[in-house]
Amino acid sequence: MASDEHTDSTENQARQAKATPLADPTHQLAKQFGDALGETAAKPIEQIGQLIAKCGLEFVEKIIAETEATEASGGLLTHDRKRRRSKGGVFFYLAKGQMDAGLRGEIFPNFGKGGDGSIAPPGIEWGDRVEPMKALGAQPGQISGLTVTLSGRPGKLHIDGSSVMTVIEQRQVKAPPYPKGVPHFDTVDGVTAYYVFMSLRHWKRVEKALEDERDLLVIEGSAVYDGALEGITILSTRVSTKMLEIQKRRAKSQSERKPKSHPAEPRSEPDGAPADQPDLTRWPTEAIEKLQQLYSAAEKLRRKLAAMEAGDQQTSLKMTRRLLIQTENQIANLRRQYEK
């Protein structure tokens, strides 16, 4: 009888072990990552564990570091742009975009399917767009408001009183990663001219910054088709540059942290940048933005570590330290790339 009970117990343990697809250390690590991402449900924890097991711990730590940097720079919106993704949502979005397609199908079997689990139908082909769009033109809707954002280098200027005019051309548009349903294309050839009008007061604010040829003009405003010019006219309401926007965010970050600092503490650089802030004058704009995101993410991780150490939260300390090291390594690699 005792032998039968032992056999039943052994079989139960075997069934339980079989029902748990992840080894216990991997599951515990996945749970720690899930806590850091705000994901506590069983399914996302299991998926994080599978990412660790199949893609490697280094891959998961890299994606979490990128998630922290993305969150620090304002996060990501959902495809319909109606709300901001959760921290866990950002993590899974980045992970799915960077992993092998075969592994992605194993870990996320519903990837590319509709919300009800059905296969999402393919969107319209780019070449088939003309006929239905022309037919729809017989019953158009009405715009109540439209704001566009244009970034690029300005052309030759014409100043007439308080008006500043320039033409900016768009050539050979390449398709970014659009959501399902929006047609994809390899390249659209040709030139689209944008006729830009801005105030002299706005232009004077950016004129000095644009002497750096790597900086980009950023214009927000209304877009209308101008039949006389046979192109799109941009009537600007806000004018800035990429570098001025970065400086503005850094100043805001410094201002928000200022009351929290103890008078006796040394003041840190904006966005968590170290005292040996590199000379960014020769860096491309996208590299500067990436560096600032990483600095901000590293600073948040340092604060999190300090809070954990104060509260003796030993369980999550090791993981957070590893994330900080990963982020600092990314900063060092970026600096080595552009400080040669």
Side-chain angles (χ1 to χ4, degrees):
M1 184 71 176
S3 176
D4 291 341
E5 290 177 354
H6 176 73
T7 301
D8 291 342
S9 175
T10 303
E11 289 176 352
N12 287 335
Q13 289 176 4
R15 281 195 296 269
Q16 289 174 2
K18 188 177 181 180
T20 304
L22 303 173
D24 187 63
T26 303
H27 180 73
Q28 291 301 318
L29 188 57
K31 191 173 184 307
Q32 292 178 27
F33 282 133
D35 289 341
L37 294 167
E39 297 286 351
T40 57
K43 185 64 175 179
I45 296 299
E46 178 188 341
Q47 289 172 331
I48 294 171
Q50 291 185 50
L51 284 170
I52 296 170
K54 296 180 179 181
C55 300
L57 180 59
E58 184 177 344
F59 173 82
V60 174
E61 289 179 333
K62 171 179 173 290
I63 297 298
I64 289 185
E66 291 181 9
T67 300
E68 295 285 354
T70 301
E71 286 289 283
S73 63
L76 285 178
L77 294 177
T78 53
H79 280 312
D80 59 13
R81 305 188 68 83
K82 291 183 178 179
R83 61 180 179 83
R84 179 174 168 174
R85 294 178 191 267
S86 66
K87 191 173 183 179
V90 173
F91 168 81
F92 285 117
Y93 176 84
L94 295 175
K96 291 173 185 176
Q98 298 183 38
M99 63 191 300
D100 175 78
L103 288 176
R104 184 173 58 211
E106 292 178 20
I107 300 173
F108 306 101
N110 289 327
F111 180 80
K113 297 183 179 180
D116 58 357
S118 60
I119 300 295
I124 188 172
E125 293 292 333
W126 179 252
D128 298 334
R129 74 195 187 283
V130 177
E131 186 177 340
M133 274 296 189
K134 284 186 174 179
L136 291 171
Q139 294 180 299
Q142 296 294 321
I143 290 177
S144 59
L146 172 67
T147 300
V148 297
T149 302
L150 179 154
S151 65
R153 292 291 302 178
K156 183 179 179 180
L157 300 177
H158 176 78
I159 300 176
D160 190 340
S162 61
S163 298
V164 178
M165 293 165 273
T166 188
V167 180
I168 301 178
E169 292 182 341
Q170 185 179 33
R171 298 173 180 269
Q172 290 191 326
V173 182
K174 292 185 178 181
Y178 291 119
K180 283 188 176 297
V182 178
H184 287 246
F185 54 88
D186 293 328
T187 300
V188 173
D189 294 323
V191 178
T192 303
Y194 293 85
Y195 299 90
V196 178
F197 293 81
M198 64 188 113
S199 73
L200 181 62
R201 178 171 58 89
H202 281 168
W203 171 251
K204 289 298 182 183
R205 292 178 182 174
V206 299
E207 184 177 16
K208 182 70 176 176
L210 288 170
E211 290 179 2
D212 183 347
E213 294 186 355
R214 294 161 306 167
D215 203 355
L216 297 176
L217 180 66
V218 178
I219 297 172
E220 290 182 6
S222 300
V224 295
Y225 180 77
D226 191 326
L229 295 174
E230 297 184 343
I232 300 171
T233 293
I234 306 294
L235 306 170
S236 65
T237 55
R238 191 179 79 88
V239 179
S240 185
T241 76
K242 288 283 189 181
M243 285 297 299
L244 290 175
E245 292 294 290
I246 292 171
Q247 293 170 10
K248 184 178 178 180
R249 288 197 298 268
R250 291 176 62 188
K252 181 180 178 181
S253 176
Q254 184 183 34
S255 175
E256 289 174 348
R257 287 206 306 270
K258 204 170 182 180
K260 301 176 184 178
S261 300
H262 191 277
E265 294 176 352
R267 293 178 62 184
S268 62
E269 292 294 318
D271 283 342
D276 64 333
Q277 172 83 338
D279 180 6
L280 303 178
T281 55
R282 293 185 295 177
W283 286 46
T285 304
E286 62 272 15
I288 296 172
E289 291 179 342
K290 178 67 174 177
L291 183 68
Q292 296 302 331
Q293 290 175 7
L294 289 170
Y295 277 148
S296 182
E299 178 68 12
K300 285 189 174 183
L301 287 169
R302 291 188 191 99
R303 293 180 190 171
K304 190 174 181 179
L305 269 176
M308 288 178 176
E309 288 168 349
D312 196 27
Q313 299 179 33
Q314 295 300 321
T315 305
S316 302
L317 269 174
K318 185 177 179 181
M319 182 193 68
T320 306
R321 286 197 186 100
R322 293 176 73 167
L323 288 176
L324 178 57
I325 292 170
Q326 180 82 15
T327 304
E328 289 175 338
N329 285 340
Q330 288 185 321
I331 291 172
N333 290 337
L334 194 63
R335 291 187 60 168
R336 278 196 294 269
Q337 181 180 353
Y338 292 101
E339 289 181 338
K340 294 178 181 178

